[in-house]
PDB file of all heavy atoms in Angstrom:
ATOM      1  N   GLU A 472      17.389  39.523 -21.964  1.00 90.00           N
ATOM      2  CA  GLU A 472      17.129  40.857 -22.603  1.00 90.00           C
ATOM      3  C   GLU A 472      16.197  41.695 -21.809  1.00 90.00           C
ATOM      4  O   GLU A 472      15.239  41.104 -21.263  1.00 90.00           O
ATOM      5  CB  GLU A 472      16.659  40.685 -23.999  1.00 90.00           C
ATOM      6  CG  GLU A 472      17.637  40.079 -25.002  1.00 90.00           C
ATOM      7  CD  GLU A 472      18.809  40.997 -25.234  1.00 90.00           C
ATOM      8  OE1 GLU A 472      18.642  42.262 -25.339  1.00 90.00           O
ATOM      9  OE2 GLU A 472      19.921  40.459 -25.375  1.00 90.00           O
ATOM     10  N   ARG A 473      16.459  42.988 -21.738  1.00 92.00           N
ATOM     11  CA  ARG A 473      15.414  43.885 -21.204  1.00 92.00           C
ATOM     12  C   ARG A 473      14.552  44.382 -22.330  1.00 92.00           C
ATOM     13  O   ARG A 473      15.009  44.814 -23.344  1.00 92.00           O
ATOM     14  CB  ARG A 473      16.174  45.087 -20.565  1.00 92.00           C
ATOM     15  CG  ARG A 473      15.183  45.984 -19.788  1.00 92.00           C
ATOM     16  CD  ARG A 473      15.859  47.191 -19.179  1.00 92.00           C
ATOM     17  NE  ARG A 473      16.286  48.250 -20.181  1.00 92.00           N
ATOM     18  CZ  ARG A 473      16.669  49.421 -19.941  1.00 92.00           C
ATOM     19  NH1 ARG A 473      16.781  49.825 -18.694  1.00 92.00           N
ATOM     20  NH2 ARG A 473      17.014  50.206 -20.922  1.00 92.00           N
ATOM     21  N   VAL A 474      13.246  44.226 -22.141  1.00 93.00           N
ATOM     22  CA  VAL A 474      12.255  44.604 -23.137  1.00 93.00           C
ATOM     23  C   VAL A 474      11.183  45.521 -22.601  1.00 93.00           C
ATOM     24  O   VAL A 474      10.990  45.588 -21.368  1.00 93.00           O
ATOM     25  CB  VAL A 474      11.638  43.305 -23.753  1.00 93.00           C
ATOM     26  CG1 VAL A 474      12.632  42.515 -24.460  1.00 93.00           C
ATOM     27  CG2 VAL A 474      10.906  42.520 -22.673  1.00 93.00           C
ATOM     28  N   MET A 475      10.478  46.172 -23.490  1.00 94.00           N
ATOM     29  CA  MET A 475       9.424  47.090 -23.049  1.00 94.00           C
ATOM     30  C   MET A 475       8.037  46.399 -23.373  1.00 94.00           C
ATOM     31  O   MET A 475       7.808  45.963 -24.455  1.00 94.00           O
ATOM     32  CB  MET A 475       9.454  48.396 -23.881  1.00 94.00           C
ATOM     33  CG  MET A 475       8.387  49.346 -23.473  1.00 94.00           C
ATOM     34  SD  MET A 475       8.678  50.191 -21.961  1.00 94.00           S
ATOM     35  CE  MET A 475       9.904  51.499 -22.480  1.00 94.00           C
ATOM     36  N   ILE A 476       7.289  46.202 -22.265  1.00 92.00           N
ATOM     37  CA  ILE A 476       5.958  45.473 -22.406  1.00 92.00           C
ATOM     38  C   ILE A 476       4.923  46.429 -21.791  1.00 92.00           C
ATOM     39  O   ILE A 476       5.000  46.804 -20.630  1.00 92.00           O
ATOM     40  CB  ILE A 476       5.974  44.105 -21.646  1.00 92.00           C
ATOM     41  CG1 ILE A 476       7.099  43.196 -22.171  1.00 92.00           C
ATOM     42  CG2 ILE A 476       4.551  43.462 -21.791  1.00 92.00           C
ATOM     43  CD1 ILE A 476       6.905  42.735 -23.570  1.00 92.00           C
ATOM     44  N   ASN A 477       3.969  46.813 -22.630  1.00 92.00           N
ATOM     45  CA  ASN A 477       2.906  47.739 -22.159  1.00 92.00           C
ATOM     46  C   ASN A 477       3.448  49.016 -21.389  1.00 92.00           C
ATOM     47  O   ASN A 477       2.894  49.357 -20.361  1.00 92.00           O
ATOM     48  CB  ASN A 477       1.907  46.995 -21.263  1.00 92.00           C
ATOM     49  CG  ASN A 477       1.222  45.843 -22.026  1.00 92.00           C
ATOM     50  OD1 ASN A 477       0.951  45.993 -23.209  1.00 92.00           O
ATOM     51  ND2 ASN A 477       0.891  44.789 -21.343  1.00 92.00           N
ATOM     52  N   GLY A 478       4.552  49.547 -21.874  1.00 93.00           N
ATOM     53  CA  GLY A 478       5.049  50.756 -21.264  1.00 93.00           C
ATOM     54  C   GLY A 478       5.954  50.522 -20.121  1.00 93.00           C
ATOM     55  O   GLY A 478       6.425  51.476 -19.519  1.00 93.00           O
ATOM     56  N   ASN A 479       6.248  49.274 -19.670  1.00 94.00           N
ATOM     57  CA  ASN A 479       7.060  48.987 -18.580  1.00 94.00           C
ATOM     58  C   ASN A 479       8.239  48.158 -19.029  1.00 94.00           C
ATOM     59  O   ASN A 479       8.133  47.253 -19.900  1.00 94.00           O
ATOM     60  CB  ASN A 479       6.320  48.197 -17.490  1.00 94.00           C
ATOM     61  CG  ASN A 479       5.127  49.060 -16.899  1.00 94.00           C
ATOM     62  OD1 ASN A 479       5.314  50.232 -16.470  1.00 94.00           O
ATOM     63  ND2 ASN A 479       3.954  48.513 -16.880  1.00 94.00           N
ATOM     64  N   TYR A 480       9.361  48.400 -18.392  1.00 95.00           N
ATOM     65  CA  TYR A 480      10.594  47.601 -18.678  1.00 95.00           C
ATOM     66  C   TYR A 480      10.449  46.246 -17.988  1.00 95.00           C
ATOM     67  O   TYR A 480      10.135  46.145 -16.800  1.00 95.00           O
ATOM     68  CB  TYR A 480      11.879  48.281 -18.258  1.00 95.00           C
ATOM     69  CG  TYR A 480      12.344  49.348 -19.131  1.00 95.00           C
ATOM     70  CD1 TYR A 480      12.519  50.674 -18.811  1.00 95.00           C
ATOM     71  CD2 TYR A 480      12.759  48.973 -20.473  1.00 95.00           C
ATOM     72  CE1 TYR A 480      12.947  51.595 -19.706  1.00 95.00           C
ATOM     73  CE2 TYR A 480      13.225  49.945 -21.403  1.00 95.00           C
ATOM     74  CZ  TYR A 480      13.304  51.228 -20.973  1.00 95.00           C
ATOM     75  OH  TYR A 480      13.732  52.153 -21.845  1.00 95.00           O
ATOM     76  N   MET A 481      10.674  45.201 -18.716  1.00 95.00           N
ATOM     77  CA  MET A 481      10.609  43.778 -18.205  1.00 95.00           C
ATOM     78  C   MET A 481      11.936  43.082 -18.567  1.00 95.00           C
ATOM     79  O   MET A 481      12.630  43.479 -19.481  1.00 95.00           O
ATOM     80  CB  MET A 481       9.452  43.066 -18.752  1.00 95.00           C
ATOM     81  CG  MET A 481       8.145  43.807 -18.708  1.00 95.00           C
ATOM     82  SD  MET A 481       7.430  43.884 -16.982  1.00 95.00           S
ATOM     83  CE  MET A 481       6.853  42.273 -16.801  1.00 95.00           C
ATOM     84  N   LYS A 482      12.239  41.981 -17.880  1.00 94.00           N
ATOM     85  CA  LYS A 482      13.287  41.093 -18.262  1.00 94.00           C
ATOM     86  C   LYS A 482      12.672  39.795 -18.632  1.00 94.00           C
ATOM     87  O   LYS A 482      11.760  39.247 -18.011  1.00 94.00           O
ATOM     88  CB  LYS A 482      14.274  40.889 -17.124  1.00 94.00           C
ATOM     89  CG  LYS A 482      15.083  42.220 -16.813  1.00 94.00           C
ATOM     90  CD  LYS A 482      16.329  42.289 -17.677  1.00 94.00           C
ATOM     91  CE  LYS A 482      17.447  41.332 -17.193  1.00 94.00           C
ATOM     92  NZ  LYS A 482      18.717  41.563 -17.978  1.00 94.00           N
ATOM     93  N   GLU A 483      13.247  39.158 -19.665  1.00 93.00           N
ATOM     94  CA  GLU A 483      12.805  37.809 -20.114  1.00 93.00           C
ATOM     95  C   GLU A 483      13.278  36.814 -19.077  1.00 93.00           C
ATOM     96  O   GLU A 483      14.372  36.940 -18.529  1.00 93.00           O
ATOM     97  CB  GLU A 483      13.380  37.475 -21.452  1.00 93.00           C
ATOM     98  CG  GLU A 483      12.802  38.384 -22.671  1.00 93.00           C
ATOM     99  CD  GLU A 483      13.340  38.011 -23.919  1.00 93.00           C
ATOM    100  OE1 GLU A 483      14.619  37.878 -24.040  1.00 93.00           O
ATOM    101  OE2 GLU A 483      12.591  37.827 -24.869  1.00 93.00           O
ATOM    102  N   TYR A 484      12.453  35.822 -18.740  1.00 92.00           N
ATOM    103  CA  TYR A 484      12.741  34.864 -17.786  1.00 92.00           C
ATOM    104  C   TYR A 484      12.100  33.500 -18.192  1.00 92.00           C
ATOM    105  O   TYR A 484      10.944  33.462 -18.404  1.00 92.00           O
ATOM    106  CB  TYR A 484      12.247  35.260 -16.425  1.00 92.00           C
ATOM    107  CG  TYR A 484      12.522  34.315 -15.193  1.00 92.00           C
ATOM    108  CD1 TYR A 484      13.814  33.752 -15.090  1.00 92.00           C
ATOM    109  CD2 TYR A 484      11.532  33.917 -14.381  1.00 92.00           C
ATOM    110  CE1 TYR A 484      14.111  32.869 -14.039  1.00 92.00           C
ATOM    111  CE2 TYR A 484      11.708  33.112 -13.330  1.00 92.00           C
ATOM    112  CZ  TYR A 484      13.064  32.546 -13.143  1.00 92.00           C
ATOM    113  OH  TYR A 484      13.292  31.674 -12.099  1.00 92.00           O
ATOM    114  N   TRP A 485      12.962  32.509 -18.308  1.00 89.00           N
ATOM    115  CA  TRP A 485      12.441  31.196 -18.740  1.00 89.00           C
ATOM    116  C   TRP A 485      13.018  30.027 -17.923  1.00 89.00           C
ATOM    117  O   TRP A 485      14.165  30.190 -17.442  1.00 89.00           O
ATOM    118  CB  TRP A 485      12.678  30.948 -20.232  1.00 89.00           C
ATOM    119  CG  TRP A 485      14.108  30.960 -20.675  1.00 89.00           C
ATOM    120  CD1 TRP A 485      14.966  29.901 -20.824  1.00 89.00           C
ATOM    121  CD2 TRP A 485      14.878  32.135 -21.010  1.00 89.00           C
ATOM    122  NE1 TRP A 485      16.210  30.328 -21.260  1.00 89.00           N
ATOM    123  CE2 TRP A 485      16.163  31.679 -21.345  1.00 89.00           C
ATOM    124  CE3 TRP A 485      14.630  33.524 -21.090  1.00 89.00           C
ATOM    125  CZ2 TRP A 485      17.199  32.548 -21.677  1.00 89.00           C
ATOM    126  CZ3 TRP A 485      15.634  34.401 -21.431  1.00 89.00           C
ATOM    127  CH2 TRP A 485      16.938  33.888 -21.735  1.00 89.00           C
ATOM    128  N   GLY A 486      12.332  28.984 -17.822  1.00 78.00           N
ATOM    129  CA  GLY A 486      12.796  27.829 -17.020  1.00 78.00           C
ATOM    130  C   GLY A 486      13.782  26.959 -17.793  1.00 78.00           C
ATOM    131  O   GLY A 486      13.629  26.852 -18.991  1.00 78.00           O
ATOM    132  N   GLU A 487      14.550  26.236 -17.068  1.00 79.00           N
ATOM    133  CA  GLU A 487      15.479  25.306 -17.728  1.00 79.00           C
ATOM    134  C   GLU A 487      14.776  24.146 -18.340  1.00 79.00           C
ATOM    135  O   GLU A 487      15.299  23.353 -19.166  1.00 79.00           O
ATOM    136  CB  GLU A 487      16.495  24.807 -16.739  1.00 79.00           C
ATOM    137  CG  GLU A 487      17.547  25.860 -16.316  1.00 79.00           C
ATOM    138  CD  GLU A 487      18.419  26.335 -17.529  1.00 79.00           C
ATOM    139  OE1 GLU A 487      19.192  25.589 -18.007  1.00 79.00           O
ATOM    140  OE2 GLU A 487      18.191  27.514 -17.877  1.00 79.00           O
ATOM    141  N   GLY A 488      13.545  23.868 -17.837  1.00 68.00           N
ATOM    142  CA  GLY A 488      12.697  22.799 -18.447  1.00 68.00           C
ATOM    143  C   GLY A 488      11.813  23.226 -19.551  1.00 68.00           C
ATOM    144  O   GLY A 488      11.003  22.525 -20.080  1.00 68.00           O
ATOM    145  N   SER A 489      11.961  24.526 -19.996  1.00 64.00           N
ATOM    146  CA  SER A 489      11.196  25.076 -21.198  1.00 64.00           C
ATOM    147  C   SER A 489      11.782  24.626 -22.449  1.00 64.00           C
ATOM    148  O   SER A 489      12.977  24.317 -22.514  1.00 64.00           O
ATOM    149  CB  SER A 489      11.088  26.554 -21.005  1.00 64.00           C
ATOM    150  OG  SER A 489      12.305  27.176 -21.259  1.00 64.00           O
ATOM    151  N   SER A 490      11.007  24.782 -23.493  1.00 65.00           N
ATOM    152  CA  SER A 490      11.544  24.441 -24.863  1.00 65.00           C
ATOM    153  C   SER A 490      12.605  25.394 -25.242  1.00 65.00           C
ATOM    154  O   SER A 490      13.484  25.109 -26.033  1.00 65.00           O
ATOM    155  CB  SER A 490      10.374  24.374 -25.888  1.00 65.00           C
ATOM    156  OG  SER A 490       9.791  25.643 -25.895  1.00 65.00           O
ATOM    157  N   ARG A 491      12.528  26.625 -24.743  1.00 67.00           N
ATOM    158  CA  ARG A 491      13.539  27.634 -25.110  1.00 67.00           C
ATOM    159  C   ARG A 491      14.895  27.280 -24.538  1.00 67.00           C
ATOM    160  O   ARG A 491      15.942  27.426 -25.256  1.00 67.00           O
ATOM    161  CB  ARG A 491      13.118  29.029 -24.508  1.00 67.00           C
ATOM    162  CG  ARG A 491      14.088  30.088 -24.786  1.00 67.00           C
ATOM    163  CD  ARG A 491      13.518  31.510 -24.323  1.00 67.00           C
ATOM    164  NE  ARG A 491      14.468  32.566 -24.673  1.00 67.00           N
ATOM    165  CZ  ARG A 491      14.140  33.847 -24.551  1.00 67.00           C
ATOM    166  NH1 ARG A 491      12.983  34.230 -24.084  1.00 67.00           N
ATOM    167  NH2 ARG A 491      15.091  34.751 -24.822  1.00 67.00           N
ATOM    168  N   ALA A 492      14.966  26.827 -23.334  1.00 56.00           N
ATOM    169  CA  ALA A 492      16.222  26.398 -22.717  1.00 56.00           C
ATOM    170  C   ALA A 492      16.720  25.136 -23.338  1.00 56.00           C
ATOM    171  O   ALA A 492      17.957  24.917 -23.440  1.00 56.00           O
ATOM    172  CB  ALA A 492      16.112  26.278 -21.183  1.00 56.00           C
ATOM    173  N   ARG A 493      15.910  24.247 -23.632  1.00 60.00           N
ATOM    174  CA  ARG A 493      16.189  22.896 -24.226  1.00 60.00           C
ATOM    175  C   ARG A 493      17.289  22.248 -23.349  1.00 60.00           C
ATOM    176  O   ARG A 493      18.223  21.476 -23.813  1.00 60.00           O
ATOM    177  CB  ARG A 493      16.755  23.088 -25.617  1.00 60.00           C
ATOM    178  CG  ARG A 493      15.799  23.750 -26.544  1.00 60.00           C
ATOM    179  CD  ARG A 493      16.200  23.621 -28.024  1.00 60.00           C
ATOM    180  NE  ARG A 493      16.051  22.184 -28.445  1.00 60.00           N
ATOM    181  CZ  ARG A 493      14.960  21.614 -28.810  1.00 60.00           C
ATOM    182  NH1 ARG A 493      13.856  22.204 -28.733  1.00 60.00           N
ATOM    183  NH2 ARG A 493      14.899  20.380 -29.168  1.00 60.00           N
ATOM    184  N   ASN A 494      17.142  22.325 -22.034  1.00 57.00           N
ATOM    185  CA  ASN A 494      18.104  21.732 -21.124  1.00 57.00           C
ATOM    186  C   ASN A 494      17.562  20.416 -20.669  1.00 57.00           C
ATOM    187  O   ASN A 494      17.274  20.128 -19.472  1.00 57.00           O
ATOM    188  CB  ASN A 494      18.318  22.624 -19.860  1.00 57.00           C
ATOM    189  CG  ASN A 494      19.366  22.096 -18.948  1.00 57.00           C
ATOM    190  OD1 ASN A 494      20.177  21.193 -19.315  1.00 57.00           O
ATOM    191  ND2 ASN A 494      19.432  22.712 -17.797  1.00 57.00           N
ATOM    192  N   TRP A 495      17.356  19.512 -21.678  1.00 50.00           N
ATOM    193  CA  TRP A 495      16.703  18.197 -21.412  1.00 50.00           C
ATOM    194  C   TRP A 495      17.578  17.357 -20.435  1.00 50.00           C
ATOM    195  O   TRP A 495      17.026  16.403 -19.747  1.00 50.00           O
ATOM    196  CB  TRP A 495      16.394  17.425 -22.684  1.00 50.00           C
ATOM    197  CG  TRP A 495      15.590  18.306 -23.621  1.00 50.00           C
ATOM    198  CD1 TRP A 495      15.931  18.508 -24.915  1.00 50.00           C
ATOM    199  CD2 TRP A 495      14.414  18.977 -23.379  1.00 50.00           C
ATOM    200  NE1 TRP A 495      14.953  19.380 -25.526  1.00 50.00           N
ATOM    201  CE2 TRP A 495      14.035  19.619 -24.599  1.00 50.00           C
ATOM    202  CE3 TRP A 495      13.601  19.269 -22.247  1.00 50.00           C
ATOM    203  CZ2 TRP A 495      12.905  20.424 -24.687  1.00 50.00           C
ATOM    204  CZ3 TRP A 495      12.495  20.031 -22.400  1.00 50.00           C
ATOM    205  CH2 TRP A 495      12.136  20.595 -23.570  1.00 50.00           C
ATOM    206  N   GLN A 496      18.876  17.537 -20.404  1.00 60.00           N
ATOM    207  CA  GLN A 496      19.724  16.719 -19.580  1.00 60.00           C
ATOM    208  C   GLN A 496      19.423  16.952 -18.101  1.00 60.00           C
ATOM    209  O   GLN A 496      19.620  16.038 -17.258  1.00 60.00           O
ATOM    210  CB  GLN A 496      21.253  17.093 -19.769  1.00 60.00           C
ATOM    211  CG  GLN A 496      21.761  16.664 -21.169  1.00 60.00           C
ATOM    212  CD  GLN A 496      23.211  17.106 -21.316  1.00 60.00           C
ATOM    213  OE1 GLN A 496      23.508  18.283 -21.137  1.00 60.00           O
ATOM    214  NE2 GLN A 496      24.036  16.176 -21.734  1.00 60.00           N
ATOM    215  N   ARG A 497      18.842  18.062 -17.746  1.00 56.00           N
ATOM    216  CA  ARG A 497      18.420  18.305 -16.369  1.00 56.00           C
ATOM    217  C   ARG A 497      17.283  17.422 -15.907  1.00 56.00           C
ATOM    218  O   ARG A 497      17.144  17.124 -14.771  1.00 56.00           O
ATOM    219  CB  ARG A 497      17.951  19.796 -16.232  1.00 56.00           C
ATOM    220  CG  ARG A 497      17.703  20.219 -14.761  1.00 56.00           C
ATOM    221  CD  ARG A 497      17.356  21.702 -14.751  1.00 56.00           C
ATOM    222  NE  ARG A 497      17.442  22.193 -13.404  1.00 56.00           N
ATOM    223  CZ  ARG A 497      16.530  22.118 -12.447  1.00 56.00           C
ATOM    224  NH1 ARG A 497      15.378  21.582 -12.809  1.00 56.00           N
ATOM    225  NH2 ARG A 497      16.647  22.589 -11.251  1.00 56.00           N
ATOM    226  N   TYR A 498      16.494  16.934 -16.952  1.00 56.00           N
ATOM    227  CA  TYR A 498      15.261  16.163 -16.562  1.00 56.00           C
ATOM    228  C   TYR A 498      15.442  14.766 -17.176  1.00 56.00           C
ATOM    229  O   TYR A 498      14.511  13.949 -17.085  1.00 56.00           O
ATOM    230  CB  TYR A 498      14.057  16.770 -17.156  1.00 56.00           C
ATOM    231  CG  TYR A 498      13.847  18.193 -16.631  1.00 56.00           C
ATOM    232  CD1 TYR A 498      14.447  19.297 -17.220  1.00 56.00           C
ATOM    233  CD2 TYR A 498      13.062  18.426 -15.505  1.00 56.00           C
ATOM    234  CE1 TYR A 498      14.247  20.537 -16.646  1.00 56.00           C
ATOM    235  CE2 TYR A 498      12.881  19.697 -14.911  1.00 56.00           C
ATOM    236  CZ  TYR A 498      13.456  20.756 -15.626  1.00 56.00           C
ATOM    237  OH  TYR A 498      13.254  22.052 -15.086  1.00 56.00           O
ATOM    238  N   ASP A 499      16.519  14.429 -17.753  1.00 55.00           N
ATOM    239  CA  ASP A 499      16.763  13.180 -18.511  1.00 55.00           C
ATOM    240  C   ASP A 499      16.818  11.975 -17.589  1.00 55.00           C
ATOM    241  O   ASP A 499      17.591  11.932 -16.711  1.00 55.00           O
ATOM    242  CB  ASP A 499      18.069  13.285 -19.356  1.00 55.00           C
ATOM    243  CG  ASP A 499      18.195  12.093 -20.229  1.00 55.00           C
ATOM    244  OD1 ASP A 499      17.191  11.404 -20.468  1.00 55.00           O
ATOM    245  OD2 ASP A 499      19.407  11.822 -20.587  1.00 55.00           O
ATOM    246  N   LEU A 500      15.962  11.024 -17.851  1.00 56.00           N
ATOM    247  CA  LEU A 500      15.940   9.751 -17.175  1.00 56.00           C
ATOM    248  C   LEU A 500      16.232   8.555 -18.132  1.00 56.00           C
ATOM    249  O   LEU A 500      15.908   7.435 -17.840  1.00 56.00           O
ATOM    250  CB  LEU A 500      14.603   9.493 -16.425  1.00 56.00           C
ATOM    251  CG  LEU A 500      14.241  10.452 -15.335  1.00 56.00           C
ATOM    252  CD1 LEU A 500      12.902  10.151 -14.801  1.00 56.00           C
ATOM    253  CD2 LEU A 500      15.285  10.360 -14.193  1.00 56.00           C
ATOM    254  N   GLY A 501      16.882   8.925 -19.253  1.00 54.00           N
ATOM    255  CA  GLY A 501      17.158   7.888 -20.237  1.00 54.00           C
ATOM    256  C   GLY A 501      15.852   7.818 -21.145  1.00 54.00           C
ATOM    257  O   GLY A 501      14.833   8.431 -20.846  1.00 54.00           O
ATOM    258  N   GLY A 502      15.902   7.174 -22.334  1.00 51.00           N
ATOM    259  CA  GLY A 502      14.731   7.106 -23.173  1.00 51.00           C
ATOM    260  C   GLY A 502      14.819   7.952 -24.378  1.00 51.00           C
ATOM    261  O   GLY A 502      15.818   8.615 -24.601  1.00 51.00           O
ATOM    262  N   ASP A 503      13.786   7.957 -25.121  1.00 51.00           N
ATOM    263  CA  ASP A 503      13.758   8.675 -26.419  1.00 51.00           C
ATOM    264  C   ASP A 503      13.698  10.150 -26.294  1.00 51.00           C
ATOM    265  O   ASP A 503      12.771  10.730 -25.623  1.00 51.00           O
ATOM    266  CB  ASP A 503      12.578   8.222 -27.227  1.00 51.00           C
ATOM    267  CG  ASP A 503      12.713   8.456 -28.743  1.00 51.00           C
ATOM    268  OD1 ASP A 503      13.300   9.495 -29.016  1.00 51.00           O
ATOM    269  OD2 ASP A 503      12.222   7.684 -29.525  1.00 51.00           O
ATOM    270  N   GLN A 504      14.633  10.878 -26.888  1.00 53.00           N
ATOM    271  CA  GLN A 504      14.678  12.343 -26.822  1.00 53.00           C
ATOM    272  C   GLN A 504      13.330  12.953 -27.273  1.00 53.00           C
ATOM    273  O   GLN A 504      12.945  13.946 -26.677  1.00 53.00           O
ATOM    274  CB  GLN A 504      15.796  12.844 -27.678  1.00 53.00           C
ATOM    275  CG  GLN A 504      15.930  14.355 -27.797  1.00 53.00           C
ATOM    276  CD  GLN A 504      16.614  14.993 -26.605  1.00 53.00           C
ATOM    277  OE1 GLN A 504      17.294  14.286 -25.868  1.00 53.00           O
ATOM    278  NE2 GLN A 504      16.443  16.251 -26.371  1.00 53.00           N
ATOM    279  N   LYS A 505      12.766  12.420 -28.252  1.00 49.00           N
ATOM    280  CA  LYS A 505      11.522  13.079 -28.852  1.00 49.00           C
ATOM    281  C   LYS A 505      10.338  12.987 -27.908  1.00 49.00           C
ATOM    282  O   LYS A 505       9.304  13.667 -28.127  1.00 49.00           O
ATOM    283  CB  LYS A 505      11.189  12.393 -30.186  1.00 49.00           C
ATOM    284  CG  LYS A 505      10.740  10.945 -30.105  1.00 49.00           C
ATOM    285  CD  LYS A 505      10.468  10.443 -31.533  1.00 49.00           C
ATOM    286  CE  LYS A 505      10.003   8.942 -31.416  1.00 49.00           C
ATOM    287  NZ  LYS A 505       9.801   8.393 -32.760  1.00 49.00           N
ATOM    288  N   LEU A 506      10.462  12.152 -26.839  1.00 44.00           N
ATOM    289  CA  LEU A 506       9.336  12.009 -25.883  1.00 44.00           C
ATOM    290  C   LEU A 506       9.441  13.015 -24.725  1.00 44.00           C
ATOM    291  O   LEU A 506       8.640  12.980 -23.883  1.00 44.00           O
ATOM    292  CB  LEU A 506       9.263  10.609 -25.334  1.00 44.00           C
ATOM    293  CG  LEU A 506       8.980   9.473 -26.448  1.00 44.00           C
ATOM    294  CD1 LEU A 506       8.993   8.114 -25.779  1.00 44.00           C
ATOM    295  CD2 LEU A 506       7.666   9.723 -27.146  1.00 44.00           C
ATOM    296  N   ASN A 507      10.456  13.841 -24.697  1.00 57.00           N
ATOM    297  CA  ASN A 507      10.537  14.841 -23.595  1.00 57.00           C
ATOM    298  C   ASN A 507       9.399  15.796 -23.646  1.00 57.00           C
ATOM    299  O   ASN A 507       8.886  16.136 -24.771  1.00 57.00           O
ATOM    300  CB  ASN A 507      11.909  15.593 -23.725  1.00 57.00           C
ATOM    301  CG  ASN A 507      13.133  14.784 -23.358  1.00 57.00           C
ATOM    302  OD1 ASN A 507      13.065  14.177 -22.348  1.00 57.00           O
ATOM    303  ND2 ASN A 507      14.164  14.866 -24.148  1.00 57.00           N
TER     304      ASN A 507
END
Side-chain angles (χ1 to χ4, degrees):
E472 292 294 324
R473 188 182 73 167
V474 296
M475 181 76 78
I476 304 291
N477 296 327
N479 296 309
Y480 280 118
M481 310 288 284
K482 289 277 280 186
E483 294 180 310
Y484 181 46
W485 60 95
E487 289 298 293
S489 67
S490 59
R491 178 173 183 173
R493 304 193 66 80
N494 186 12
W495 306 128
Q496 288 176 312
R497 188 177 196 274
Y498 301 86
D499 185 21
L500 295 176
D503 198 328
Q504 175 82 18
K505 68 182 180 182
L506 298 179
N507 284 316

